[in-house]
Amino acid sequence: MACFDADGLTLRDVNAGLREAAAGGEDVTLVNPNYRHNLCVAWRIKGSRLNVEGSVGYYFAGLNNGGHFKVSGNAGWGVAENMTSGSVVVEGDAGHCAGASLNGGFLYIAGNASPRAGISMKGGTIVIGGNAGMMTGFMIQKGQIIVRGDVGDGIGDSMYEGEIFVGGEIHGMGNDAIMETMTVDDHRLVEEKLGEAGLTVDRDYEKIVSGKKLWHFDKKDWELWHK
Amino acid sequence: MCGIAGVIAKDGQLPVFRLLADMIGAEQHRGEDSSGFAFYGSPASHYILRLRCTEGSEASHRKAVLDELESLAGPSLDITETNLGDAADGVDPSFMRLIVEGDEESVREFARLAPSAPGVAMHSIGRSVEIVKDKGTASDIMARHGLADFVGTHGIAHCRLATESRVDVEHSHPLWGFPRPDVTVVHNGQLTNYNRLRRQLEHEGHKFSTSNDSELIAIWIAKRLDEGATLREALEESTQTIDGTFTYLIATEEGIGMAKDRLAVKPLVVGENATMVCMASEAGAVAAALGTSFDSYEPIENVVITWPVSTQTV
């Protein structure tokens, strides 16, 4: 396993050095990430594994396509933003907009997630082990978000498609988000995705989907949006 | 963007400037137009006035400003200038620090009049606070104003990426809550009902020294405190009255408070250890003060928190 120390290096040198270290197929450990932004952005080395010892700043592993990342601490805003494939595991908490515009892959936040996790996601899966903030799954178009704990107000606001599953308390539904009965397939999906994160189903989950009333919004139907 | 930071001791005193400078230094990439600090120590028996001579740094301008302020102060107040160092040491001589001695009522009347004096840009007045702000980065200010040794109970700081008003010393944060001594604000965001609320406050006799929307927060909170509200009450009301995007820190002689708008668009990370609570826009800035091991969280939307001096979170 290769060890890469980010201390004292420019961001460009860190990201180039990490790619070089991972190119040969070896697992890489990054030390001294020091909350820096934009680490491992636009990673394209399929099947590579990178462990981060510490906490990262904004946009960690944004645009990831094929890398597998694990962060031992917290992640700042926009972790795994726009990921296409691969996986990102954050063992601590994540800042706002975790997995924003996610296209594919697997994002697991073991701790809590701040507001707007999975905003406008278009595919892939987000699993949140703890609680999630307001507007989780805002404008989600495809994919799944599974929250084991509680969610803040406005869950699934203006969602188009996709599903959100919540194991804890829901503090308020978003505009045009509705609850639907869990099917056998839904139970199987939740179990499978929690399993990918190393978790088991230890509680009941609610399923939230789009009410589809805002698909063809007309100003005359103002109250549908602004309840 | 903009970055904000604050620190408060759980007990006793801290090297407040050094901590805040380290925190702002760690998030300086959020804005390099200007930086500023409001330091708080235990309330003194006298007041400290921080200002800048807008006409220039020559001795004649400084003398004219001092004469003008002395005439405004009248016989009930004594004003003494503190030597901040020489231009040769890198200290900008257009910045002045005055000790104002006298009863509270006279000082308040003076604080009401002084911002209108010609050639005076008043940055702060208080028994506890001193504001030092300037164009450039935290390290520029450290070099130009020689504050590294300041020790106190708490403080707030800011680095600015200007969006809504001009880049100069006076439009930098922290901003003072005219006319109440010891109230200052640092703000990340922008206010959408600034003009309406400013007109209301001006109608009530409040003076604005800048066209920076953040100044309104300090003046509005100071007004509510003067009307008898607690800091927590004033902050809670402010989230309903003041509209826009904001995460701001308000400091008074009694501690620090924060408020975040209902959309939670502007960041704040709060961390603490055994000796202090630190709050900053970015986790890296909190880590710059607390090291690698601390408990942290991100306050949610529509939330108000206060940290009084010498006690933990209430």
Side-chain angles (χ1 to χ4, degrees), chain B residues 267-289:
Chain B
L268 193 74
V269 175
V270 181
E272 60 183 286
N273 64 14
T275 56
M276 61 183 130
V277 183
C278 295
M279 51 235 90
S281 299
E282 296 192 8
V286 175

Side-chain angles (χ1 to χ4, degrees), chain A residues 118-193:
Chain A
I119 178 174
S120 200
M121 67 188 268
K122 301 164 181 75
T125 303
I126 301 176
V127 173
I128 296 164
N131 303 325
M134 71 184 287
M135 307 289 269
T136 297
F138 183 34
M139 299 196 299
I140 175 174
Q141 290 140 56
K142 201 178 170 190
Q144 307 90 35
I145 302 174
I146 303 171
V147 185
R148 284 181 76 229
D150 304 339
V151 290
D153 196 9
I155 185 173
D157 193 289
S158 308
M159 63 192 287
Y160 295 76
E161 292 268 21
E163 304 98 32
I164 309 172
F165 301 97
V166 181
E169 196 180 332
I170 295 169
H171 287 284
M173 300 289 282
N175 293 305
D176 200 29
I178 59 169
M179 298 235 200
E180 204 175 75
T181 310
M182 294 276 286
T183 65
V184 175
D185 284 346
D186 290 332
H187 284 293
R188 202 173 292 143
L189 179 77
V190 169
E191 188 176 1
E192 179 198 323
K193 296 298 179 185

Side-chain angles (χ1 to χ4, degrees), chain A residues 13-182:
Chain A
D13 288 343
V14 175
N15 280 343
L18 287 171
R19 279 177 172 75
E20 200 176 307
E26 213 177 354
D27 286 8
V28 178
T29 299
L30 170 65
V31 295
N32 290 315
N34 292 342
Y35 303 87
R36 286 167 75 167
H37 303 324
N38 307 319
L39 289 167
C40 306
V41 163
W43 191 272
R44 291 186 300 181
I45 307 168
K46 295 242 160 70
S48 55
R49 296 197 172 273
L50 191 138
N51 297 306
V52 181
E53 286 180 7
S55 295
V56 294
Y58 291 5
Y59 311 118
F60 175 77
L63 297 161
N64 173 36
N65 191 358
H68 297 278
F69 299 90
K70 187 182 273 187
V71 178
S72 72
N74 302 327
W77 288 32
V79 59
E81 182 190 60
N82 233 312
M83 173 161 67
T84 304
S85 68
S87 65
V88 176
V89 173
V90 179
E91 293 185 335
D93 300 331
H96 287 224
C97 301
S101 293
L102 201 75
N103 279 292
F106 185 76
L107 170 62
Y108 170 41
I109 314 292
N112 301 320
S114 281
R116 290 178 277 272
I119 178 174
S120 200
M121 67 188 268
K122 301 164 181 75
T125 303
I126 301 176
V127 173
I128 296 164
N131 303 325
M134 71 184 287
M135 307 289 269
T136 297
F138 183 34
M139 299 196 299
I140 175 174
Q141 290 140 56
K142 201 178 170 190
Q144 307 90 35
I145 302 174
I146 303 171
V147 185
R148 284 181 76 229
D150 304 339
V151 290
D153 196 9
I155 185 173
D157 193 289
S158 308
M159 63 192 287
Y160 295 76
E161 292 268 21
E163 304 98 32
I164 309 172
F165 301 97
V166 181
E169 196 180 332
I170 295 169
H171 287 284
M173 300 289 282
N175 293 305
D176 200 29
I178 59 169
M179 298 235 200
E180 204 175 75
T181 310
M182 294 276 286

Side-chain angles (χ1 to χ4, degrees), chain B residues 52-237:
Chain B
R52 195 174 73 89
C53 298
T54 54
E55 303 293 321
S57 58
E58 296 84 358
S60 57
H61 292 301
R62 295 159 60 83
K63 175 79 167 52
V65 160
L66 203 53
D67 289 347
E68 178 66 25
L69 290 175
E70 273 171 350
S71 79
L72 280 177
S76 55
L77 295 177
D78 274 340
I79 297 184
T80 334
E81 187 179 0
T82 317
N83 183 17
L84 288 174
D86 297 323
D89 302 330
V91 176
D92 183 337
S94 65
F95 288 79
M96 293 173 79
R97 179 181 187 270
L98 307 179
I99 307 281
V100 181
E101 288 174 286
D103 63 285
E104 186 176 338
E105 199 182 327
S106 308
V107 171
R108 277 183 168 248
E109 184 55 23
F110 174 66
R112 203 175 289 282
L113 298 171
S116 309
V120 172
M122 190 162 156
H123 294 165
S124 68
I125 188 165
R127 293 197 300 140
S128 191
V129 73
E130 294 185 49
I131 285 181
V132 177
K133 57 186 183 179
D134 206 341
K135 287 193 273 188
T137 62
S139 54
D140 293 340
I141 290 183
M142 178 110 74
R144 256 183 255 143
H145 295 268
L147 294 156
D149 297 333
F150 183 91
V151 171
T153 48
H154 59 296
I156 55 177
H158 189 269
C159 56
R160 180 164 188 242
L161 181 79
T163 51
E164 310 287 302
S165 59
R166 82 178 72 135
V167 178
D168 65 14
V169 179
E170 280 63 52
H171 283 75
S172 309
H173 300 228
L175 291 146
W176 166 56
F178 171 93
R180 192 181 196 277
D182 288 310
V183 177
T184 62
V185 70
V186 291
H187 166 221
N188 178 16
Q190 59 227 74
L191 307 184
T192 47
N193 58 353
Y194 165 69
N195 287 314
R196 185 170 64 77
L197 289 179
R198 177 173 171 159
R199 278 196 297 276
Q200 281 176 13
L201 287 163
E202 283 179 330
H203 189 66
E204 292 169 20
H206 291 270
K207 284 198 175 67
F208 285 73
S209 303
T210 73
S211 54
N212 188 325
D213 55 358
S214 309
E215 187 182 14
L216 183 128
I217 301 170
I219 291 177
W220 194 89
I221 294 277
K223 165 189 137 88
R224 291 298 296 124
L225 294 174
D226 269 345
E227 287 166 354
T230 64
L231 181 59
R232 169 172 285 275
E233 286 165 354
L235 286 165
E236 279 169 354
E237 288 171 36

Side-chain angles (χ1 to χ4, degrees), chain B residues 6-17:
Chain B
V7 62
I8 185 162
K10 287 186 175 175
D11 195 17
Q13 299 207 314
L14 292 170
V16 172
F17 179 79

Side-chain angles (χ1 to χ4, degrees), chain B residues 291-314:
Chain B
T292 48
S293 180
F294 57 91
D295 296 325
S296 69
Y297 63 98
E298 189 160 29
I300 63 166
E301 70 280 4
N302 229 349
V303 81
V304 160
I305 305 173
T306 54
W307 295 275
V309 170
S310 283
T311 49
Q312 293 194 24
T313 309
V314 284

